[in-house]
Amino acid sequence: MIPQLILNSLIAASIYSLVALGFNLIYSTTKFFNLSHGVVGLIGGYVTFYFTKTLGLEIIPSVIVGILAAGLCGYFLDKLVFRKLRNKHASDMVFLIASLGLMTALQAGLAIVFTNQFKLFSIETKTIHFFGLMITYVHIMTLVVTVIVTAGLISLLKKTRFGKMVRAIGDDVEVSTIVGIDTNKILSRVFFIGSAIAGVSGILSGLDVGLGPNMGLSLLLKGVIASIIGGVGNVYGGILGALLLAFIENIGAWQISGEWKDLFSFGLLIVFLLFRPQGILRK
């Protein structure tokens, strides 16, 4: 039972960490909580579902289209809404309310286009049994993709000129502008990358359990909790926060009941906000 519990926790942590990675990337440069992040990720799942179920496209091309759709959605949200608010030097509260409005609008749009009916991918998910453990192909893909995406993002931020500019903007936007960095251009790319990563999490979650218009809020909350626990704005912290959150949830569900998972999540969040608000790792 313990090895299966650990495996289940790693799978859940993979989804949470993908949401947290994109959320932390955007937060580290914009300094506001983008509440539309979860629904943007869910758009990637729905686009993938549409291309596989309705148009009959193979799963891999559909996944690529879904990731691009989520990235472009985040890009245009920044270009059409958030950039205009930045140019007007809007307060953090205005950004928060704007992102809340966008979340509500996008969620309603998904419900109108795809209805509120729960959607399931029509792909075969085989279960593998080994050493008493059970894991599906989707779960294996989730673990592998999370490692690849995480390594790719860290390499992008650490070893490229673009990554240096992102870190510079995260340190000080005004100084970055003074030294010649086109902050609006870089931030739009950050929104594209962060939203595309969220799209990956939405697709993997949809392949595992299906899709519903209200799932975006759940994805957002898990990603935000993981980010706060690990350290908001810290890429590595988001991963650690996701691992801790997933283990606490699964251990609590094993000992008590699965219906209490959200209580464990928010209980852990309150503990960190009270005793270590900066998270496991500082920015």
Side-chain angles (χ1 to χ4, degrees):
M1 189 64 190
I2 298 298
Q4 185 68 56
L5 186 67
I6 294 173
L7 180 60
N8 292 344
S9 299
L10 289 174
I11 294 167
S14 297
I15 298 293
Y16 299 165
S17 64
L18 285 173
V19 182
L21 280 173
F23 181 85
N24 271 338
L25 178 64
I26 294 173
Y27 179 85
S28 66
T29 52
T30 61
K31 301 299 186 296
F32 82 94
F33 273 58
N34 180 19
L35 298 181
S36 64
H37 186 70
V39 182
V40 169
L42 193 60
I43 287 173
Y46 269 104
V47 170
T48 302
F49 174 83
Y50 176 78
F51 274 85
T52 54
K53 188 77 172 181
T54 306
L55 301 183
L57 197 65
E58 294 294 330
I59 185 64
I60 294 179
S62 299
V63 166
I64 295 173
V65 174
I67 294 172
L68 289 175
L72 288 173
C73 180
Y75 174 85
F76 283 112
L77 287 182
D78 175 65
K79 190 172 183 178
L80 298 176
V81 179
F82 298 128
R83 180 184 295 186
K84 296 183 184 301
L85 293 178
R86 286 197 301 272
N87 292 338
K88 293 181 179 180
H89 303 288
S91 65
D92 292 340
M93 181 60 69
V94 172
F95 274 99
L96 185 69
I97 294 173
S99 67
L100 176 61
L102 290 171
M103 180 190 76
T104 305
L106 291 173
Q107 187 170 290
L110 288 176
I112 291 171
V113 174
F114 296 99
T115 74
N116 284 315
Q117 185 178 358
F118 207 71
K119 308 293 184 183
L120 293 174
F121 283 85
S122 56
I123 61 172
E124 187 177 357
T125 56
K126 294 182 179 179
T127 301
I128 301 174
H129 299 263
F130 65 99
F131 300 108
L133 300 176
M134 293 185 298
I135 188 171
T136 66
Y137 285 155
V138 172
H139 293 157
I140 294 173
M141 182 170 61
T142 300
L143 294 170
V144 172
V145 168
T146 300
V147 172
I148 293 173
V149 170
T150 302
L153 179 60
I154 292 174
S155 298
L156 179 68
L157 294 177
K158 293 291 184 181
K159 299 181 179 180
T160 66
R161 186 168 179 266
F162 170 76
K164 291 180 180 179
M165 289 189 285
V166 169
R167 287 184 285 133
I169 293 173
D171 288 337
D172 196 309
V173 177
E174 293 182 0
V175 174
S176 298
T177 304
I178 291 172
V179 299
I181 296 176
D182 188 342
T183 54
N184 280 328
K185 183 178 180 180
I186 298 300
L187 288 176
S188 291
R189 292 179 180 178
V190 165
F191 267 90
F192 176 85
I193 295 171
S195 300
I197 294 174
V200 175
S201 69
I203 293 168
L204 291 172
S205 183
L207 289 171
D208 186 23
V209 299
L211 295 167
N214 297 322
M215 282 179 59
L217 180 59
S218 177
L219 282 175
L220 172 71
L221 291 176
K222 299 297 183 180
V224 169
I225 292 173
S227 299
I228 294 174
I229 292 171
V232 179
N234 190 309
V235 173
Y236 303 101
I239 299 170
L240 289 176
L243 286 169
L244 180 59
L245 175 61
F247 273 97
I248 292 295
E249 279 188 348
N250 280 276
I251 291 172
W254 174 45
Q255 292 292 332
I256 304 176
S257 172
E259 298 174 353
W260 292 69
K261 286 180 70 173
D262 288 341
L263 178 62
F264 299 136
S265 302
F266 286 100
L268 184 63
L269 173 64
I270 291 172
V271 169
F272 268 85
L273 289 176
L274 290 175
F275 300 103
R276 192 173 176 81
Q278 72 272 27
I280 298 172
L281 300 178
R282 294 180 182 272
K283 184 176 179 304

